Amino acid sequence: MPQEILVAEEQAVKAYGWAARDSSGILSPFHFIRRTTGSNDISMKILYCGICHSDLHLAKDEMGLTIYPIVPGHEIVGEVTKVGSNVTRFQVGDIAGVGCMVGSCRSCDNCTQDLENYCPKIVWTYNKHQEDGSRTFGGYSDKLVVDQHFAVRIPDNLPLQGTAPMLCAGITVYSPMRYFGLMEAGKHLGVVGLGGLGHMAVKFAKAVGAKVTVISTSPNKKKEAMEQLGVDEFLISHDQEQLQAAKGTMDGIIDTVSAPHPLLSLTEMLKTNGKLILVGAPAQPPELPVFPLILGRKLIAGSAIGGMKETQEMIDFAAKHNITADVEVIPMDYVNTALERVAKADIKYRFVIDVANTLNSPY
Ligand code: NAP
Ligand code: ZN
Ligand code: ZN
């Protein structure tokens, strides 16, 4: 009998995944339970799960928010294996995607405007205590039970491995690029950090005909970024001359960097009325460069993932434009090495775990 059973057995479906148990962030096999399929729920056999940098932040408790044991993973694609009696959007055998949230209140101002991602009662896909006392566990696991509202339909033409990362990385950049008017032909977008989020921002922006400049710490990413992702300009963030030359040229910048870094040169690169959108989540707050904001009516904003309606819109947009993430598919037992490589920005551009073929679930 596994020791780590956390809610009443009679409501339980046995599940298996990999969890971190302490701030070393090292993952190992873990038995737990999921709820049975409720009337509004779908159950999924998880096929692929992307590795987001947030998984690393949380596995290592870099934010001071982690509840151990933690099963990370919120870029999930799976096959529907069961549907509840009220489910209308999915049938058994369909492919569904689940991102960072699996619940919200459904009635607050945010929820009624399709902004469940800003609901004060949002239920994150993992690392969340729920009202009934149970816990959520993420997609580095064999199965998931989720309210149909928090799953999206995956169009047939999208390859599933490259689709998984769009459930977090994709929507996290798509939503602010749309909201702040940066995903438009003729606009000049800066993308800071060419990782999982950053390369999705490049793909969406190029799909609509925007000009894209990447601001990166990694000169070794330049050639491929320009030749394969179609990046127009590639600036090295420690090259002051390059940064100076780009002053006042950009309509907006999406900053996806996962570690503390200065914002001054970024705000200086914006045109008057330019917008710097922070989506990366370094644990320490940045210093705020006030003067370049004042002298140009510039704006710094944040943004978190996107609502369910917009997540479906993003997936449908991706299907129409043949956009998926560039991925390195790995077996489950490579996950600790993969997380170490994510910490060093040594991945082009997303690891995706081949869960169905390599987890070896006993259930
Ligand atoms: P990632 O794949 O690791 O990419 C981050 C990129 O930032 C790296 O590839 C690297 O790009 C750059 N970078 C890393 N360390 C740096 C440093 N010390 N200084 C400057 N640049 C550095 O991570 P990700 O999965 O895209 O996630 C990025 C961040 O967004 C994380 O903090 C994550 O938690 C957060 N996030 C937020 C949301 C949201 O809703 N707001 C959703 C998902 C993730 P270069 O090599 O090009 O410099
Ligand atoms: Zn994420
Ligand atoms: Zn709500």
Side-chain angles (χ1 to χ4, degrees):
M1 176 72 180
Q3 292 168 355
E4 291 148 322
I5 295 288
L6 299 177
V7 295
E9 187 92 2
E10 61 274 17
Q11 310 157 13
V13 176
K14 285 181 179 164
Y16 179 74
W18 279 46
R21 272 112 171 153
D22 57 45
S23 61
S24 71
I26 294 171
L27 276 66
S28 55
F30 175 63
H31 297 263
F32 62 105
I33 60 160
R34 297 220 183 258
R35 66 173 185 261
T36 51
T37 315
S39 51
N40 295 314
D41 289 339
I42 60 171
S43 292
M44 292 161 62
K45 174 186 173 173
I46 296 177
L47 301 175
Y48 295 103
C49 186
I51 298 184
C52 177
H53 203 114
S54 304
D55 298 347
L56 179 65
H57 288 315
L58 284 155
K60 293 193 159 194
D61 197 16
E62 290 172 358
M63 315 286 185
L65 297 170
T66 303
I67 315 159
Y68 291 109
I70 182 172
V71 177
H74 57 207
E75 296 185 335
I76 302 164
V77 166
E79 184 179 340
V80 177
T81 53
K82 264 189 198 165
V83 296
S85 54
N86 295 338
V87 170
T88 49
R89 295 179 55 236
F90 294 93
Q91 292 181 344
V92 170
D94 285 351
I95 301 295
V98 175
C100 300
M101 58 182 165
V102 291
S104 72
C105 83
R106 310 289 300 279
S107 60
C108 71
D109 284 352
N110 292 302
C111 286
T112 52
Q113 293 176 75
D114 297 311
L115 293 171
E116 305 92 333
N117 48 319
Y118 299 120
C119 175
K121 294 192 173 168
I122 189 169
V123 180
W124 301 107
T125 301
Y126 64 86
N127 199 46
K128 179 78 180 176
H129 272 303
Q130 302 192 85
E131 279 175 3
D132 66 1
S134 65
R135 299 254 310 271
T136 59
F137 294 105
Y140 299 5
S141 63
D142 55 356
K143 58 178 79 76
L144 185 67
V145 183
V146 60
D147 186 305
Q148 63 168 341
H149 182 77
F150 293 93
V152 294
R153 300 184 55 83
I154 307 297
D156 291 340
N157 67 319
L158 282 176
L160 300 186
Q161 301 168 341
T163 297
M166 293 199 295
L167 276 312
C168 173
I171 185 61
T172 298
V173 294
Y174 181 94
S175 179
M177 284 166 67
R178 281 279 192 224
Y179 181 77
F180 291 104
L182 302 175
M183 213 172 128
E184 290 171 12
K187 289 279 168 81
H188 182 188
L189 179 74
V191 175
V192 195
L194 193 60
L197 270 56
H199 94 294
M200 292 308 309
V202 172
K203 290 191 180 204
F204 288 134
K206 292 309 297 178
V208 297
K211 175 180 174 184
V212 178
T213 296
V214 164
I215 301 126
S216 169
T217 58
S218 305
N220 66 332
K221 292 180 180 172
K222 177 174 179 176
K223 187 168 186 286
E224 195 182 298
M226 297 191 79
E227 288 173 4
Q228 288 176 30
L229 294 176
V231 166
D232 299 284
E233 287 179 40
F234 194 99
L235 310 181
I236 302 301
S237 50
H238 51 257
D239 185 330
Q240 287 307 321
E241 244 174 66
Q242 289 187 3
L243 302 189
Q244 289 292 318
K247 264 187 174 180
T249 63
M250 297 175 194
D251 297 289
I253 296 177
I254 295 277
D255 184 339
T256 74
V257 173
S258 50
H261 59 288
L263 301 184
L264 177 61
S265 55
L266 302 178
T267 49
E268 287 176 345
M269 277 187 248
L270 293 170
K271 294 177 184 169
T272 300
N273 295 325
K275 296 157 187 168
L276 170 60
I277 315 303
L278 306 178
V279 291
Q284 294 82 23
E287 224 170 82
L288 192 66
V290 175
F291 281 114
L293 298 181
I294 294 174
L295 300 172
R297 202 165 56 182
K298 298 172 189 176
L299 173 155
I300 298 184
S303 185
I305 50 170
M308 291 315 302
K309 187 170 170 224
E310 195 173 38
T311 305
Q312 185 70 60
E313 180 192 308
M314 178 274 308
I315 287 283
D316 294 343
F317 177 92
K320 188 170 159 205
H321 294 271
N322 283 318
I323 292 174
T324 51
D326 292 0
V327 299
E328 182 174 330
V329 180
I330 58 164
M332 189 69 230
D333 62 6
Y334 188 77
V335 68
N336 289 312
T337 308
L339 287 168
E340 278 172 28
R341 285 182 53 195
V342 169
K344 293 186 283 188
D346 173 23
I347 166 68
K348 288 178 186 161
Y349 294 95
R350 204 48 139 196
F351 287 111
V352 170
I353 305 167
D354 181 354
V355 176
N357 291 313
T358 65
L359 177 62
N360 301 322
S361 170
Y363 306 124

